[in-house]
Amino acid sequence: MTARRAPSPETVPRAVLALIAAGALAALLPWWLQTTAVAGPAGWLTGAGRITGLLAGYAAPVLLLLMARIPPLERSVGADRLARWHAFGGRYLVGLVTVHVLTIVWGYVLTGGKGVVGEAVEIVLDWPDMIKATLGTLLLLATGALSARAARRRLGYETWYYLHLGGYLAVALGFAHQLSTGADLGTGPARAGWYTLYFGTAAAVGWYRLLLPWLRDRRHRLRVAEVREEAPGVVSLFLTGQRLESLRAEPGQFFRLQFQAPGLRWAANPYSLSAPPHPRFLRFTVKDLGAHSAAVAALAPGTPVRAEGPYGAFTARRQRGRKVLLLGAGVGITPLRALLESLDGELTLVQRAHRPSDVLFREELTVVARQRGARVHELLGPRADVGDLGAALARLVPDLPGHEVYLCGPDAFAAEAERALRAAGVRRSRIHHESFAF
């Protein structure tokens, strides 16, 4: 009997994108059915305003759903890919809202003969729910500006996280305006669909982002059991609790941890498991990259911890072949260390570091590799000494193009490694990468 081939890990992401695209077309259907003709510049402008308004109104809840921490999406698509889609779509949402405002005002200027300022003031002050919509638009544009890459680099994770929550308020403020002044939605199925989309999104966000973490916190009662130094500036955090097996965490996944200690209780940062989950404890490894991680290293045993998760698709579910290369650098080695202990097949782990002192889990990896029949290599030295990364990997890993690759590390390293692997002949579909810097 022929073994059934595992489905491609890209099947679900492609299906989700197709569903989003179909939803966008459905959002435009009311305009298409109600528009028999478009005449003159004013008609074209207001028509463009209606189209961009419908698309923006559809995109806003979809972007919130992408970040609602819905477990099937997190496991099959991956948290970092969902975050990239969210960021990509957010830029389009800002563009759609901007075009919507400009074309609607300009179209009514041509129709009514008023100046731009006069028409804009009348729309804001006299049209129903437009004051709230204007505030929501300003808040959305501000959130978009703060999410731009240049601004994001200047903000700490916690600051960016809480400022980004302004997007939820912006969507809520704009909802009533879409129904009261959006003639395309009418009173029939289109309006019912709009209510379903928005209230369904609110329910999903409320359940997965608020209520479910609270219930899990009550059920599992996570506490800090031990903080163990692994290397200068690197500690492993052991959390204990109740009924941890019911979390169904998998090696390679991560949690967002919120430590109930001064200065930490309002921030939920992502940390990946650095060992397979155990019924009595969970282990995370943290590198000192700022004030938050330094405070984590000083946590006292017994500190309560709220945890959201497990999240992420960087797991054995993605494996389709027997030969696997685990390639990591920095604290990115943490999920790879967990995967080395749990993946099947011919395993090779390569850890990239500048100095021997930067290597993490050297003794542990040696023991696990001996038990699993795996190979472990350290690729040490400055970039100039290592040379081409693809060539260096080919020397360490025979038949490199025949391997699946689990890749994790700082963004610059991951980008360089993916380019090198592709140049060495590894297919893109066989490179599994998940970033936790979001």
Side-chain angles (χ1 to χ4, degrees):
M1 184 174 180
T2 304
R4 181 179 297 175
R5 190 180 184 188
S8 168
E10 295 300 310
T11 299
V12 174
R14 289 169 182 164
V16 172
L17 287 177
L19 182 62
I20 292 173
L25 292 176
L28 293 178
L29 190 60
W31 172 83
W32 179 262
L33 294 176
Q34 296 183 44
T35 304
T36 57
V38 179
W44 283 103
L45 285 168
T46 53
R50 289 163 61 189
I51 290 172
T52 52
L54 286 169
L55 288 175
Y58 167 74
V62 169
L63 293 179
L64 298 185
L65 282 173
L66 291 178
M67 300 304 290
R69 318 290 188 232
I70 300 173
L73 281 180
E74 294 276 342
R75 290 193 179 98
S76 57
V77 178
D80 72 322
R81 188 181 305 198
L82 290 171
R84 290 198 302 271
W85 289 356
H86 175 84
F88 182 80
R91 291 190 288 272
Y92 271 89
L93 176 59
V94 170
L96 288 168
V97 169
T98 302
V99 173
H100 170 68
V101 171
L102 293 176
T103 52
I104 286 292
V105 172
W106 193 3
Y108 277 95
V109 166
L110 295 180
T111 301
K114 293 183 181 180
V116 173
V117 175
E119 192 66 53
V121 170
E122 180 179 332
I123 290 174
V124 172
L125 297 182
D126 294 347
W127 289 20
D129 299 307
M130 275 306 301
I131 292 179
K132 289 186 291 185
T134 302
L135 292 174
T137 298
L138 294 174
L139 187 55
L140 179 67
L141 295 177
T143 303
L146 290 171
S147 300
R149 189 170 299 176
R152 173 71 180 87
R153 284 196 294 263
R154 291 177 170 82
L155 295 174
Y157 178 85
E158 298 84 3
T159 304
W160 172 84
Y161 178 82
Y162 286 104
L163 289 174
H164 201 68
L165 293 180
Y168 291 89
L169 180 57
V171 173
L173 287 170
F175 176 64
H177 143 70
Q178 297 169 41
L179 297 175
S180 59
T181 62
D184 293 306
L185 296 178
T187 58
R191 179 176 288 250
W194 220 250
Y195 271 113
T196 301
L197 175 61
Y198 272 79
F199 283 94
T201 298
V205 170
W207 174 254
Y208 290 113
R209 297 296 299 269
L210 299 174
L211 187 57
L212 186 58
W214 182 81
L215 292 173
R216 284 179 171 172
D217 179 53
R218 301 282 295 177
R219 175 179 175 81
H220 299 295
R221 306 284 183 178
L222 288 175
R223 298 287 187 276
V224 175
E226 180 186 357
V227 179
R228 180 184 303 170
E229 184 176 11
E230 301 286 357
V234 180
V235 299
S236 281
L237 189 70
F238 292 82
L239 305 185
T240 189
Q242 303 172 8
R243 297 183 286 273
L244 298 185
E245 67 281 356
S246 66
L247 286 169
R248 294 186 296 174
E250 300 177 46
Q253 290 190 307
F254 70 96
F255 288 75
R256 284 181 172 82
L257 303 181
Q258 193 172 5
F259 303 99
Q260 303 304 295
L264 296 175
R265 65 180 71 250
W266 297 110
N269 285 30
Y271 295 103
S272 57
L273 291 163
S274 59
H278 190 277
R280 293 194 300 274
F281 67 86
L282 301 174
R283 172 183 165 180
F284 305 88
T285 300
V286 183
K287 186 173 183 178
D288 185 359
L289 297 174
H292 186 277
S293 49
V296 169
L299 286 171
T303 302
V305 184
R306 295 193 66 182
E308 297 179 35
Y311 298 133
F314 194 67
T315 68
R317 296 170 185 262
R318 288 188 173 182
Q319 184 182 358
R320 303 181 72 200
R322 288 284 301 169
K323 296 181 179 181
V324 179
L325 167 63
L326 306 171
L327 176 60
V331 77
I333 199 68
T334 55
L336 302 182
R337 184 256 176 263
L339 287 167
L340 181 67
E341 199 168 341
S342 56
L343 290 177
D344 294 324
E346 301 174 23
L347 307 179
T348 303
L349 184 144
V350 177
Q351 183 170 182
R352 175 77 175 93
H354 285 277
R355 298 175 297 273
S357 59
D358 295 331
V359 174
L360 296 179
F361 308 129
R362 177 179 281 122
E363 294 182 4
E364 286 187 35
L365 292 173
T366 301
V367 172
V368 173
R370 186 181 304 119
Q371 294 170 344
R372 304 299 313 281
R375 293 175 294 175
V376 173
H377 301 288
E378 297 172 2
L379 190 55
L380 304 177
R383 182 179 299 180
D385 293 348
V386 171
D388 179 73
L389 181 59
L393 290 172
R395 289 192 295 270
L396 296 174
V397 186
D399 187 27
L400 179 60
H403 283 68
E404 277 190 276
V405 182
Y406 283 77
L407 170 64
C408 193
D411 288 344
F413 165 77
E416 178 193 4
E418 185 164 358
R419 287 193 299 269
L421 290 166
R422 295 281 292 123
V426 181
R427 296 199 304 270
R428 188 183 302 276
S429 62
R430 296 172 67 85
I431 301 174
H432 310 310
H433 170 237
E434 191 160 81
S435 169
F436 306 100
F438 50 85

